Amino acid sequence: MEICEENIKKLAEEKIFLGKNLIEQLDQYKTIPGAQKIQRKINQEIKFLQKVVSTNSIKLNHVMCSNLTHYQFLVKILELQKDVVHIDCGFPVEERNNPLRVDIVCENGLKWIKAIARNSKSLTDAANGRASYGAKSIIDQAEEFIYAANQNLCMFRKPKVVFYFSHEIENEILEDMKEIGVEALSITNQQPLPGDVGVLNDEDNSETDYADVSTLNLDITTMLAYISSLTNGSTNWSFREPILTEQAKRERESPLKPVLDKIFEGKRLICCETAFQSFQDIVNLLAGDMEKQRAKELMERVEIHKDVQEIPNEVSVINVGGKINPRSLKIFAFGITMKALTITSNKGFIRSAKMQGINVPVFIHQARALTESKETTAQRL
């Protein structure tokens, strides 16, 4: 009996050690919403095991039923993903009193992941109705996730739903899940898969995916960048303003105009009245002659539409303040209403929106200011 108790105590100590390692592993994800919440839950599991060990009240069930097994599996899956935006995220669903919890939201919102660490027998029993009353089978959960994904579009698309299993599951269940629209993967044979990019960004190394987007909403920052003297060949300058010198350096290293031209090709270009008027005011005040000419040529390609009168539900909860001003909110809301991808260099807005749990469909590029009139006081390199 004593040997058995000693073995149980040893297993518990191993679990405690595992939990501490998991907290350390999650440190690299601390800036992602939900990561610190998971760390706190793991810490609660650790404290419980430490308590029952210290009071000699440890039982095998305490170790076997510890949620640390689930969190270990969750972290393993997390390390395989790209562009993670939330961990343990709740999504509102019609006819549910509480949000649906998604373990990992990645690929900038276009992929939802559920981690299932239950053994194969319990999954099969539940799928065949051999479970406690009220318990949902994995098929029920799959249907629930698809239903929720249909109500919570990202980039105007339904997020892909993936269930990861720590154990192999029966082919019949796999087929049922496939019919529902859920991809089932086993961690034992899963390789990191390249996915679609949700929040598109020309500054990272991932392959951007905007082929299925037909309409682009141009932000003020994009229109200014497109007509700037910098993006149109005049980069060999050292300006009095350090930020302009830095932009010139970046433009020499990574020209922006070809990137924007590639995105614009074959697309419908639109902007709202607020964006157009602000753009025109800046051009009239700061642009040189060639920049003004390019502005005129650009606006011949862009459709100007009235501002939205109501902020769509997707962004209505965003609080104005800090990096989010009413003008920016109006421009991004216009893009969502028009089902357009907004092209912008306004990282502050996107970052602030993300911190409030909102993913706005955007392509983010580097900023470029109007510089033609500044060249008279700049030093040529």
Side-chain angles (χ1 to χ4, degrees):
M1 181 67 177
E2 287 186 5
I3 296 175
C4 184
E5 287 179 357
E6 195 61 36
N7 284 342
I8 295 172
K9 185 177 179 181
K10 185 179 178 182
L11 288 172
E13 288 171 346
E14 288 174 355
K15 285 283 186 184
I16 291 168
F17 181 74
L18 167 64
K20 291 178 178 179
N21 278 342
L22 292 175
I23 289 175
E24 287 183 10
Q25 287 175 264
L26 283 166
D27 277 342
Q28 63 182 307
Y29 302 102
K30 265 191 172 180
T31 58
I32 297 174
Q36 294 186 46
K37 177 183 172 185
I38 297 297
Q39 286 180 312
R40 289 193 295 271
K41 287 184 176 181
I42 293 172
N43 197 43
Q44 289 173 358
E45 296 284 333
I46 292 171
K47 285 182 176 179
F48 172 76
L49 289 176
Q50 287 175 329
K51 180 181 177 181
V52 293
V53 168
S54 64
T55 57
N56 291 319
S57 57
I58 184 73
K59 292 181 172 59
L60 183 60
N61 190 52
H62 293 151
V63 179
M64 300 304 292
C65 295
S66 171
N67 284 327
L68 289 174
T69 303
H70 169 75
Y71 294 128
Q72 180 185 23
F73 187 48
L74 180 66
V75 172
K76 280 184 180 179
I77 299 168
L78 187 60
E79 291 174 339
L80 293 174
Q81 308 312 315
K82 60 188 286 187
D83 298 324
V84 178
V85 296
H86 214 298
I87 302 169
D88 188 24
C89 183
F91 288 93
V93 184
E94 289 178 8
E95 302 172 9
R96 270 183 70 109
N97 295 326
N98 54 322
L100 177 80
R101 309 305 302 184
V102 177
D103 290 323
I104 301 170
V105 181
C106 55
E107 294 179 14
N108 291 303
L110 285 171
K111 184 177 176 181
W112 289 5
I113 292 175
K114 180 174 177 60
I116 301 106
R118 291 161 61 189
N119 63 50
S120 305
K121 185 178 185 304
S122 68
L123 289 171
T124 302
D125 286 348
N128 292 325
R130 297 189 298 271
S132 58
Y133 177 75
K136 290 183 179 178
S137 74
I138 199 66
I139 303 302
D140 294 332
Q141 292 177 53
E143 290 175 340
E144 196 170 41
F145 264 70
I146 292 297
Y147 184 63
N150 284 327
Q151 294 179 32
N152 292 274
L153 303 184
C154 176
M155 295 277 292
F156 315 116
R157 288 187 284 173
K158 182 183 75 175
K160 178 182 180 181
V161 178
V162 180
F163 281 20
Y164 272 83
F165 295 89
S166 60
H167 299 83
E168 297 296 332
I169 56 175
E170 290 185 357
N171 286 335
E172 186 177 345
I173 296 177
L174 283 174
E175 288 300 318
D176 288 344
M177 293 184 70
K178 188 176 179 181
E179 278 188 27
I180 294 167
V182 172
E183 182 178 356
L185 296 174
S186 168
I187 196 73
T188 55
N189 56 21
Q190 167 65 14
Q191 298 295 322
L193 297 176
D196 295 333
V197 175
V199 177
L200 304 171
N201 190 334
D202 75 299
E203 294 177 348
D204 61 30
N205 295 319
S206 49
E207 184 67 24
T208 55
D209 176 17
Y210 47 84
D212 57 349
V213 176
S214 62
T215 306
L216 305 179
N217 172 38
L218 304 190
D219 182 26
I220 304 162
T221 59
T222 299
M223 293 189 282
L224 292 173
Y226 194 80
I227 69 165
S228 168
S229 186
L230 285 180
T231 58
N232 287 273
S234 190
T235 62
N236 293 319
W237 298 96
S238 176
F239 295 94
R240 287 183 177 180
E241 300 84 351
I243 189 170
L244 298 184
T245 301
E246 177 60 27
Q247 286 189 11
K249 179 175 179 289
R250 288 187 179 184
E251 181 63 24
R252 290 193 299 272
E253 295 171 349
S254 180
L256 178 60
K257 191 77 173 282
V259 174
L260 294 178
D261 279 333
K262 182 181 177 183
I263 298 167
F264 291 178
E265 186 177 359
K267 307 296 184 185
R268 176 190 177 205
L269 306 181
I270 63 173
C271 75
C272 63
E273 287 180 343
T274 289
F276 170 69
Q277 192 56 59
S278 297
F279 171 65
Q280 285 298 116
D281 289 346
I282 295 170
V283 168
N284 292 337
L285 183 64
L286 300 175
D289 290 341
M290 293 301 295
E291 287 172 335
K292 287 179 179 177
Q293 179 60 33
R294 284 191 288 270
K296 182 181 178 182
E297 292 170 358
L298 173 62
M299 295 319 298
E300 289 174 355
R301 301 168 56 190
V302 180
E303 299 174 18
I304 304 166
H305 293 262
K306 290 183 178 180
D307 295 336
V308 294
Q309 299 305 307
E310 287 187 22
I311 303 299
N313 292 335
E314 292 93 328
V315 290
S316 61
V317 296
I318 293 180
N319 296 317
V320 174
K323 296 289 186 180
I324 296 182
N325 60 51
R327 184 179 70 180
S328 295
L329 182 58
K330 192 176 290 186
I331 292 169
F332 285 96
F334 169 77
I336 289 174
T337 300
M338 298 294 288
K339 298 196 180 306
L341 184 72
T342 298
I343 314 298
T344 183
S345 68
N346 190 347
K347 295 179 185 176
F349 180 96
I350 302 305
R351 193 177 298 114
S352 296
K354 271 193 173 185
M355 289 175 67
Q356 296 182 40
I358 307 297
N359 279 321
V360 182
V362 294
F363 181 99
I364 304 174
H365 58 80
Q366 293 182 0
R368 299 287 186 268
L370 301 180
T371 56
E372 186 179 351
S373 62
K374 300 286 186 180
E375 292 174 3
T376 56
T377 57
Q379 182 179 351
R380 187 178 289 276
L381 299 179

